[in-house]
Amino acid sequence: AGGERVITSHIYDNTTASYNSMMAEFSNPAEISWGAYFGFAEFFMTDGILLGALPLQDRLVFYKNSSISVATNNTADETSNDPFILNQDIIKNTGAISMNTIVALESAHLFFSGENFFMFDGINCRDFGGGVIKYILNNINKKYVNRSFSAHIEEEKLYLSFVAWGESEWPSMCIA
């Protein structure tokens, strides 16, 4: 991460609890003693489980099941201790079903939300499920939709999503 900082998520502190909805920033990673207690600054705290983060151009995109947040480098304020400017929940009511369904392209992320397929360019989120999404939603096993995963074949310009289909508990159908 920018400015000689380490950003981590899903921190487990065995003295208190697991923080699966927080990103933490360590300002001096060289001095972190991983075997002993260390302090951290809350960078991103949110309701609900934070699935993870992926880079997109000069941004860091945070995904949850129901929202997308974006952090950009804080180049405007060189005196600030904050290396990022966080725009929390810029996309609401849409998120990824799991980090395994997100494919990072050069200028966008493609992902499956469990309800549709989307492209996120860092600002806008557009669906691309088209007319087949109703058929897909009628046939996927919604109980196991979180097991979905995706891949990208760049040469063919294909986004592939593998989902649990019908009665299957595991991804058994490839949607291209």
Side-chain angles (χ1 to χ4, degrees):
E4 297 296 320
R5 289 172 161 71
V6 172
I7 294 182
T8 188
S9 69
H10 298 80
I11 300 164
Y12 184 80
D13 177 353
N14 63 4
T15 62
T16 56
S18 173
Y19 299 100
N20 61 1
S21 61
M22 179 175 66
M23 296 292 287
E25 171 191 352
F26 300 93
S27 58
N28 192 349
E31 295 179 6
I32 293 174
S33 172
W34 294 104
Y37 175 77
F38 51 88
F40 56 83
E42 182 181 296
F43 170 63
F44 178 49
M45 188 69 167
T46 180
D47 293 331
I49 294 174
L50 181 64
L51 296 176
L54 284 175
L56 177 61
Q57 299 168 352
D58 63 342
R59 302 174 183 117
L60 192 56
V61 181
F62 301 96
Y63 286 92
K64 293 182 0 181
N65 290 124
S66 60
S67 68
I68 302 172
S69 301
V70 176
T72 55
N73 287 324
N74 186 2
T75 56
D77 186 0
E78 294 180 11
T79 62
S80 173
N81 288 330
D82 298 324
F84 297 103
I85 299 169
L86 179 65
N87 296 305
Q88 192 164 337
D89 297 339
I90 63 168
I91 303 296
K92 295 180 180 174
N93 302 317
T94 299
I97 194 68
S98 84
M99 288 303 288
N100 294 330
T101 67
I102 304 170
V103 170
L105 305 178
E106 188 175 317
S107 60
H109 291 165
L110 305 178
F111 65 93
F112 180 49
S113 71
E115 298 295 325
N116 210 332
F117 296 94
F118 290 91
M119 180 182 77
F120 179 65
D121 64 8
I123 299 168
N124 300 302
C125 194
R126 293 182 297 257
D127 70 81
F128 63 92
V132 300
I133 195 64
K134 287 182 182 178
Y135 175 74
I136 293 168
L137 294 178
N138 286 335
N139 288 284
I140 62 172
N141 189 336
K142 289 181 177 61
K143 184 175 178 182
Y144 299 103
V145 70
N146 62 315
R147 294 180 176 173
S148 301
F149 64 94
S150 298
H152 177 242
I153 302 175
E154 188 172 351
E155 299 81 19
E156 301 296 326
K157 297 186 181 351
L158 278 177
Y159 171 77
L160 308 170
S161 192
F162 299 84
V163 298
W165 196 258
E167 298 299 316
S168 178
E169 295 180 13
W170 296 99
S172 58
M173 174 64 74
C174 176
I175 300 164

